[in-house]
Amino acid sequence: MDTAAKPQGCTNMKLRQLVRRVAQHYDAEVGKSGLRGTQYSLLSHVAKLGPIRPGDLAREMKIDASTLTRNLKPLIDAGWVTLDAGADGRSRLVNATPAGRDKRQEAQRRWRVAQEGINRTLGLQRVVALHGLIDECMELLSPLSTGEDGE
């Protein structure tokens, strides 16, 4: 007879609840810089990798091209990112402006405050264990990815 504990409830729902709660925490803190968490992530990737072709950036971030285009627009409108001509007339390059690099640094300070808050609330040992479990699960689930969702 199997006496091991069995999961109760839907794993997908529980993970989504956790992601929402953690995202709310980060968004509240990073939002003080004027950026949403997703915008901070995108701006950080552009600052680290740019100038970079949009397709390469989308692949690096594991998002689809249409999501990238939609998410770049407010950063371009704010003057934090540019979409410039590439080596030939058909290619484009995404790059962070000096103002965008400054905004990223400001948001990064807020992100650190959020991370330290999570570490305090959950405890460092739990956060390290959570990261390890997530990495292990991602590796185990990677053969299941079909690539249809942009990841």
Side-chain angles (χ1 to χ4, degrees):
M1 182 169 113
D2 183 7
T3 59
K6 294 189 178 178
Q8 298 295 310
C10 174
T11 301
N12 185 45
M13 184 183 75
K14 287 185 174 292
L15 285 171
R16 285 177 181 265
Q17 288 171 337
L18 178 61
V19 167
R20 276 194 301 273
R21 181 74 49 89
V22 171
Q24 287 169 350
H25 173 76
Y26 279 87
D27 284 345
E29 192 59 48
V30 172
K32 294 175 184 176
S33 71
L35 291 174
R36 293 191 327 265
T38 53
Q39 291 173 322
Y40 166 64
S41 177
L42 177 54
L43 185 56
S44 290
H45 276 83
V46 172
K48 284 189 283 187
L49 303 173
I52 185 170
R53 295 182 321 183
D56 294 337
L57 180 59
R59 274 189 291 285
E60 280 289 324
M61 294 187 70
K62 297 179 176 58
I63 60 175
D64 62 48
S66 64
T67 299
L68 177 65
T69 299
R70 184 174 56 252
N71 291 347
L72 277 174
K73 185 170 180 0
L75 299 181
I76 292 169
D77 292 346
W80 298 325
V81 170
T82 59
L83 188 58
D84 302 314
D88 60 48
R90 299 176 312 167
S91 66
R92 308 285 273 167
L93 292 173
V94 182
N95 203 12
T97 65
R101 291 183 184 284
D102 290 346
K103 181 56 68 175
R104 178 186 176 263
Q105 284 185 323
E106 178 188 349
Q108 189 174 38
R109 288 190 294 273
R110 305 301 337 156
W111 174 86
R112 275 195 204 102
V113 170
Q115 182 64 50
E116 290 166 3
I118 289 288
N119 291 349
R120 262 190 322 278
T121 302
L122 297 180
L124 284 176
Q125 187 175 359
R126 187 173 283 120
V127 172
V128 169
L130 179 61
H131 285 205
L133 186 58
I134 290 168
D135 291 344
E136 183 181 341
C137 290
M138 291 295 292
E139 183 68 29
L140 290 168
L141 291 171
S142 67
L144 301 179
S145 177
T146 62
E148 292 175 5
D149 61 0
E151 296 188 42

